[in-house]
């Protein structure tokens, strides 16, 4: 029998990669999209087919703040696997909309888990929870499954609730539920306001003389950046194990935001010169200032250094990342060039 998967957050970066991955594995894929005043399914254009004709891909309206829609969708579809990738996923924005971020990220997770339990589907459905390395916050790197969580944002705190409620429903109701603790992962279809996409897209435009300047916040935080294509494979692998468990997914390497900029510039053969310190630091290209610091992009509390230790995933899931940071940068730049109008 064909396996059925239900993806919350299908219109996001990871949702799009996971949907394609599961369709290639022969799954029937269902996804939940939010109603919005303009199209929000751009990332799915290449796999969407008219449901009036034969297809393995279906979209349904819903929202993680709406318990009734969650209960109805899970009951109607009765999937074998649920992947909960939905969240207000921008850390800086979570300081502006903390209650909403918690409603979706924390209580939304509870709503799905409790629907599985209430519908007596605990034995049938396997559940994946999109946890985050942000939960480690101020913990000293390298971080692994045994590292203490010291969250530094409303987003991270909401993800911690989601993490522990997933553990609790696994233990209390025997649900096959796994937490993936994923470090940053990027791609050409990364949201425009995350730092890698913002840098790649702006540097490319500056290089083509279509933009004059880029404004950024903290250049010295360090992140462990992988590729989303590698990371969705790990999500699926977690649900194929004999027992449910929690796993760190990372590359084990880290770069600062400034190093990431320099990697992009190298790929574009742009010779950058950095001058000044703190908020007065500036980056020059061809004697013109192209990058400046704007205080508004700093967070009230920052996560300075993330670097994952993924030994457990390597041993138990036989997973490791394939795409390195240089290939990630190349792929992101190629995408900008192909979509340059
Ligand atoms: P993303 O591109 O921001 O996608 C988030 C998805 O959640 C979108 O489909 C969005 O829908 C949906 N969503 C937001 N609010 C919702 C609501 N109230 N009800 C239903 N759906 C809602 O995020 P991503 O990078 O793919 O990340 C996927 C998940 O992994 C997120 O939970 C994120 O927090 C987590 N995570 C990401 C990373 C990373 O580096 N990418 C690392 C660790 C964990 P719209 O398209 O309509 O906005
Ligand atoms: O790209 P970012 O916004 O990603 P951040 O905050 O690490 O969060 C991402 O990864 C998490 C996993 O650890 C996910 F859970 C989360 O959903 C999201 O996908 O920022 C990365 C770093 C930060 O230190 C930030 O302060 O870049 C710094 N930064 C500097 N200038 C900036 C900017 N970030 C953004 N978004 N925009 C800037 O102009």
């Amino acid at each position: 029998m064909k396996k059925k998967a239900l993806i919350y957050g299908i219109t996001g970066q990871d949702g799009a990669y996971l949907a394609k991955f599961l369709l290639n594995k022969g799954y029937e894929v269902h996804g939940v999209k939010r109603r919005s005043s303009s199209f929000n399914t751009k990332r799915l254009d290449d796999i969407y087919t008219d449901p009036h004709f034969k297809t393995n891909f279906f979209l349904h309206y819903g929202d993680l703040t709406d318990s009734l829609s969650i209960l109805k969708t899970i009951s109607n579809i009765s999937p074998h696997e649920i992947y909960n990738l939905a969240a207000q996923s921008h850390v800086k924005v979570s300081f502006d909309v903390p209650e909403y971020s918690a409603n979706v990220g924390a209580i939304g997770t509870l709503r799905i888990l409790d629907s599985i339990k209430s519908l007596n589907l605990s034995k049938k459905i396997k559940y994946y929870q999109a946890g985050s390395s942000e939960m480690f916050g101020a913990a000293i790197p390298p971080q692994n499954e045994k590292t203490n969580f010291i969250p530094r944002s409303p987003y991270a705190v909401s993800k911690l609730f989601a993490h522990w409620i997933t553990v609790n429903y696994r233990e209390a109701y025997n649900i096959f539920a796994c937490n993936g603790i994923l470090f940053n992962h990027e791609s050409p279809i990364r949201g425009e306001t995350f730092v890698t996409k913002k840098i790649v897209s702006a540097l490319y435009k500056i290089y083509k003389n279509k933009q004059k300047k880029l404004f950024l916040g903290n250049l010295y935080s360090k992140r462990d950046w992988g590729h989303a294509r590698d990371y969705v494979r790990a999500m699926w692998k977690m649900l194929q194990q004999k027992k449910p468990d929690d796993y760190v997914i990372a590359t084990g390497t880290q770069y600062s935001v400034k190093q990431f900029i320099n990697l992009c510039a190298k790929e574009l053969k742009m010779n950058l010169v950095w001058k000044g310190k703190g908020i007065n630091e500036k980056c020059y290209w061809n004697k013109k200032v192209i990058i400046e610091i704007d205080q508004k992009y700093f967070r009230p509390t920052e996560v300075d250094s993330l670097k994952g230790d993924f030994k457990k995933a390597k041993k138990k899931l036989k997973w490791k990342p394939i795409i390195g940071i240089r290939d990630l940068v190349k792929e992101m730049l190629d995408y900008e060039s192909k979509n340059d109008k």
Side-chain angles (χ1 to χ4, degrees):
M1 193 181 60
K2 199 170 262 187
K3 270 196 180 175
K4 268 194 253 179
L6 171 61
I7 304 176
Y8 277 91
I10 195 154
T11 55
Q13 169 190 259
D14 292 6
Y17 277 103
L18 180 65
K20 284 164 210 176
F21 176 86
L22 293 174
L23 285 169
N24 279 334
K25 288 236 167 263
Y27 278 66
E28 180 176 305
V29 175
H30 295 257
V32 172
K33 64 169 178 172
R34 301 192 285 174
R35 146 77 190 151
S36 82
S37 64
S38 48
F39 284 125
N40 59 359
T41 49
K42 191 169 168 269
R43 292 183 175 109
L44 302 170
D45 280 352
D46 50 336
I47 50 173
Y48 183 79
T49 43
D50 187 334
H52 296 98
F53 301 99
K54 196 173 158 33
T55 177
N56 281 330
F57 184 62
F58 304 89
L59 291 175
H60 312 266
Y61 281 110
D63 197 299
L64 271 201
T65 60
D66 185 322
S67 303
L68 297 178
S69 77
I70 296 171
L71 201 69
K72 193 178 65 192
T73 304
I74 297 177
S75 168
N76 286 347
I77 296 168
S78 189
H80 301 92
E81 295 172 7
I82 295 181
Y83 295 84
N84 177 23
L85 313 180
Q88 188 302 95
S89 74
H90 201 286
V91 175
K92 172 73 165 59
V93 174
S94 79
F95 289 96
D96 303 323
V97 286
E99 184 183 343
Y100 177 72
S101 302
N103 193 1
V104 182
I107 308 303
T109 303
L110 173 61
R111 290 183 184 108
I112 300 180
L113 285 166
D114 206 68
S115 298
I116 297 174
K117 171 186 156 251
S118 306
L119 291 164
N120 287 321
L121 290 170
S122 307
K123 287 209 177 78
K124 177 178 178 189
I125 297 180
K126 293 182 173 182
Y127 176 81
Y128 172 83
Q129 172 57 29
S132 165
S133 51
E134 272 292 305
M135 299 188 300
F136 293 123
I140 306 294
Q143 295 99 354
N144 65 25
E145 294 81 0
K146 293 196 173 108
T147 305
N148 283 336
F149 297 122
I150 315 175
R152 300 269 287 166
S153 64
Y155 167 81
V157 175
S158 80
K159 284 287 182 185
L160 263 181
F161 178 92
H163 176 92
W164 287 117
I165 203 67
T166 301
V167 172
N168 182 246
Y169 269 58
R170 175 166 80 211
E171 291 173 353
Y173 307 114
N174 239 340
I175 298 179
F176 191 111
C178 300
N179 285 296
I181 307 175
L182 272 51
F183 282 63
N184 298 50
H185 45 280
E186 319 295 309
S187 73
I189 56 165
R190 181 62 146 147
E192 309 283 339
T193 59
F194 294 98
V195 82
T196 56
K197 179 74 176 177
K198 190 172 160 183
I199 292 167
V200 168
S201 150
L203 262 197
Y204 182 81
K205 289 195 186 90
I206 291 168
Y207 170 74
K208 286 277 178 182
N209 284 320
K210 292 181 175 174
Q211 183 173 328
K212 286 200 165 68
K213 268 188 198 171
L214 164 65
F215 292 91
L216 291 170
N218 182 7
L219 298 179
Y220 293 96
S221 54
K222 293 180 185 149
R223 291 289 181 273
D224 178 333
W225 278 298
H227 195 302
R229 201 182 300 120
D230 277 338
Y231 287 38
V232 299
R233 196 174 72 249
M235 296 174 188
W236 174 79
K237 276 183 168 258
M238 286 179 213
L239 299 197
Q240 313 314 311
Q241 303 306 301
K242 284 210 176 88
K243 284 188 184 159
D245 206 342
D246 308 323
Y247 299 90
V248 158
I249 300 297
T251 71
T253 53
Q254 64 171 196
Y255 294 85
S256 67
V257 172
K258 188 171 170 178
Q259 282 173 317
F260 186 86
I261 298 170
N262 289 333
L263 279 174
C264 296
K266 195 171 171 202
E267 192 55 38
L268 286 168
K269 300 194 171 48
M270 291 167 84
N271 193 13
L272 303 186
V273 179
W274 293 89
K275 287 184 189 166
K277 280 210 161 96
I279 58 161
N280 296 316
E281 185 161 8
K282 290 183 178 33
C283 175
Y284 295 77
W285 178 55
N286 290 343
K287 296 187 179 155
K288 286 191 188 124
V289 178
I290 59 157
I291 301 176
E292 283 192 55
I293 305 301
D294 184 338
Q295 201 94 44
K296 85 171 180 200
Y297 295 116
F298 283 79
R299 287 128 199 233
T301 38
E302 174 66 280
V303 169
D304 293 321
S305 184
L306 292 174
K307 184 165 94 161
D309 159 10
F310 64 97
K311 276 195 220 65
K312 180 175 170 183
K314 193 173 177 189
K315 188 165 174 225
K316 301 219 163 150
L317 303 178
K318 312 266 178 283
W319 177 91
K320 62 174 186 199
I322 293 169
I323 308 162
I325 193 151
R326 282 172 188 79
D327 286 334
L328 168 69
V329 166
K330 265 190 210 145
E331 197 183 319
M332 290 177 81
L333 279 167
D334 279 353
Y335 183 87
E336 296 302 318
S337 154
K338 277 186 199 124
N339 289 283
D340 186 19
K341 287 170 200 125

